[in-house]
Amino acid sequence: MHYALLNTMREIIIVGHTSRTDPNFSLNDLPGSGGRIDILCRCVNSALFLSHDLRRDVDIYLILQGPPRPPVTVKFSGEKVRYLNPDERSSGSLIKKALEVNPGPRWRESTPGVCARQGGLDELLQDLMSGENKSLFYLREDGTDIRDAFVNTVPDNVVFLLGDHMGMTPEEEAILMNAGAGILHVGPLSLHADHCIILVNNEMDRAAHR
Amino acid sequence: MHYALLNTMREIIIVGHTSRTDPNFSLNDLPGSGGRIDILCRCVNSALFLSHDLRRDVDIYLILQGPPRPPVTVKFSGEKVRYLNPDERSSGSLIKKALEVNPGPRWRESTPGVCARQGGLDELLQDLMSGENKSLFYLREDGTDIRDAFVNTVPDNVVFLLGDHMGMTPEEEAILMNAGAGILHVGPLSLHADHCIILVNNEMDRAAHR
């Protein structure tokens, strides 16, 4: 089966609890000056890159909750993104450009396939989960093994949500539970969010090709 | 089972065909000035990081084959490494320090848990595969599915080898076949080396905890 023929959609959400919401961070010090925005940069790579291609059916949403004006959401569309290379500085630079546009209440595109707006998890889930038939999954160590989740049926449209190095707050978990999220884990050890995304993509690749 | 109690060893080898063998590259431009050394930086992260810990039972070897004096091998020991953070600049900085020591024919430590020497794949495999009971696996798209490889038996000591964006040359593949390498794949799509390492680690984590 050719990859481009798959008529399904994967959306990935990662919450950066301390990641800066203005462009005043240095590409030479993403972890420090960006409030661990390096984590989100690696998540963009994990979500979108294939060996010599991009995953055209994956979008990733970065929810930035650090100073000075949280929350801001930055979206990378695998179908439309340009100027993205695998290194952290590359995604960091595109995030910085998205924040330079001074995000308002509506999505505003900064470079092809990258846009940003004010608003956080609540608004995003309302948008993503309304209307269309989508399945929402939250990655947490005590969930169901992802290898058991998609053995018999594979939802056409899936939304996966992950926390950063701080996990998710009880308030955020309440939003997820309200939205009907299933809870999944990816293996016996606790891993970084960008590593979890690799495992999620692999599981969905395998399910789609079964 | 507590992770630290596992009495096994994983070794990972990644070949960087164009990666510089002296420290004259910029941490602000790892892909360009380092000859795609950014790929190896991400492999170090994939090999060694757990959520709030390091994988103490994993070593990773970076075989640098770019100018000016190839080959040089840099080793990161998960048990001993210090000053390593998850961002690319951090592993890039430790690789740079390893090359500043001007590697000779014997391993020379530059920072705790990081050392380098002259020599490439042939010498490394001779060292790693002699004496001890180890199983060698080469990651290639046409191999056996890794999920089928460790269902019944899990070797105590495993060595996984991966190519960079250029794959492996026929000469390198001949060395691997001579060393008795099994060929494995990690899924239906062709992925970056650092993504493959995540999948290998996950498979071995699962096998160890079965």
Side-chain angles (χ1 to χ4, degrees):
Chain A
M1 193 188 306
H2 190 273
Y3 184 72
L5 294 180
L6 300 173
N7 191 21
T8 61
M9 193 69 204
R10 281 175 221 168
E11 290 167 309
I12 296 168
I13 306 171
I14 167 84
V15 180
H17 289 91
T18 59
S19 295
R20 277 200 82 80
T21 41
D22 73 7
N24 294 327
F25 58 86
S26 166
L27 296 178
N28 296 342
D29 179 21
L30 292 167
S33 68
R36 296 311 310 277
I37 211 163
D38 62 309
I39 296 171
L40 308 189
C41 295
R42 285 192 294 281
C43 286
V44 171
N45 170 311
S46 295
L48 298 185
F49 277 96
L50 290 169
S51 185
H52 294 283
D53 201 357
L54 287 170
R55 292 181 177 274
R56 308 291 175 183
D57 60 349
V58 178
D59 290 344
I60 178 166
Y61 296 87
L62 319 176
I63 299 181
L64 317 180
Q65 299 190 343
R69 43 167 192 256
V72 169
T73 303
V74 178
K75 174 183 179 180
F76 282 71
S77 156
E79 188 188 347
K80 298 175 191 160
V81 70
R82 293 190 61 186
Y83 316 128
L84 178 65
N85 288 315
D87 59 301
E88 280 168 30
R89 276 180 83 95
S90 175
S91 42
S93 159
L94 294 181
I95 295 170
K96 203 174 161 81
K97 284 190 172 71
L99 295 172
E100 279 165 358
V101 175
N102 195 17
R106 296 192 178 191
W107 293 111
R108 200 175 292 167
E109 193 171 58
S110 44
T111 55
V114 183
C115 54
R117 72 171 184 191
Q118 289 173 341
L121 183 60
D122 218 347
E123 296 89 334
L124 183 62
L125 283 182
Q126 279 176 31
D127 281 6
L128 294 188
M129 303 306 293
S130 72
E132 291 178 78
N133 185 20
K134 294 185 186 177
S135 302
L136 175 65
F137 299 100
Y138 167 40
L139 280 270
R140 200 174 66 188
E141 286 84 348
D142 61 348
T144 303
D145 189 342
I146 193 171
R147 292 202 182 177
D148 299 329
F150 304 114
V151 173
N152 298 317
T153 57
V154 188
D156 282 344
N157 300 296
V158 285
V159 181
F160 289 97
L161 192 138
L162 304 93
D164 60 0
H165 61 302
M166 303 176 72
M168 295 291 274
T169 66
E171 293 74 22
E172 288 164 343
E173 292 205 333
I175 294 173
L176 290 171
M177 295 307 107
N178 262 334
I183 305 179
L184 299 178
H185 81 249
V186 292
L189 300 177
S190 184
L191 303 177
H192 286 182
D194 57 312
H195 295 187
C196 293
I197 292 171
I198 298 295
L199 296 167
V200 164
N201 266 334
N202 181 251
E203 198 59 40
M204 299 309 292
D205 292 344
R206 287 174 173 271
H209 286 76
R210 266 196 283 266
Chain B
M1 192 190 305
H2 190 273
Y3 183 73
L5 295 178
L6 299 174
N7 192 21
T8 61
M9 192 70 204
R10 282 176 222 167
E11 290 167 309
I12 295 167
I13 306 170
I14 167 83
V15 180
H17 290 91
T18 58
S19 295
R20 276 200 82 79
T21 41
D22 73 8
N24 294 328
F25 57 87
S26 165
L27 296 178
N28 296 342
D29 179 21
L30 291 167
S33 68
R36 295 309 312 276
I37 210 163
D38 62 309
I39 296 171
L40 308 189
C41 294
R42 285 192 293 280
C43 286
V44 170
N45 171 310
S46 295
L48 298 185
F49 277 95
L50 290 169
S51 183
H52 294 284
D53 201 357
L54 287 169
R55 292 182 176 275
R56 308 292 174 182
D57 60 348
V58 177
D59 290 344
I60 178 164
Y61 296 87
L62 318 175
I63 300 181
L64 316 180
Q65 298 190 343
R69 44 167 192 254
V72 168
T73 302
V74 178
K75 174 183 178 181
F76 281 71
S77 156
E79 188 188 348
K80 297 175 191 159
V81 70
R82 294 191 61 186
Y83 315 128
L84 178 65
N85 289 315
D87 58 301
E88 281 168 30
R89 278 180 80 95
S90 175
S91 43
S93 159
L94 294 180
I95 294 170
K96 203 173 161 81
K97 284 191 171 70
L99 295 172
E100 280 165 358
V101 174
N102 195 16
R106 296 194 178 188
W107 292 111
R108 201 176 291 168
E109 193 171 58
S110 44
T111 56
V114 183
C115 53
R117 72 171 183 190
Q118 289 172 342
L121 183 60
D122 217 347
E123 296 89 333
L124 183 61
L125 283 182
Q126 279 176 32
D127 282 5
L128 295 188
M129 302 306 293
S130 71
E132 292 178 77
N133 185 20
K134 293 186 186 175
S135 302
L136 175 65
F137 299 100
Y138 167 41
L139 280 269
R140 201 173 64 187
E141 285 84 348
D142 62 347
T144 302
D145 190 342
I146 192 170
R147 292 202 183 176
D148 299 328
F150 305 114
V151 173
N152 298 316
T153 56
V154 188
D156 282 344
N157 301 295
V158 284
V159 180
F160 289 96
L161 192 137
L162 304 93
D164 60 1
H165 60 303
M166 305 177 70
M168 297 290 277
T169 66
E171 294 74 22
E172 289 164 343
E173 291 205 334
I175 294 173
L176 290 172
M177 295 305 110
N178 263 334
I183 305 180
L184 299 179
H185 80 249
V186 291
L189 300 177
S190 184
L191 303 177
H192 285 182
D194 57 313
H195 295 187
C196 293
I197 292 172
I198 299 294
L199 297 167
V200 164
N201 266 335
N202 182 252
E203 197 60 40
M204 300 309 291
D205 292 344
R206 287 173 173 272
H209 286 77
R210 268 195 281 266

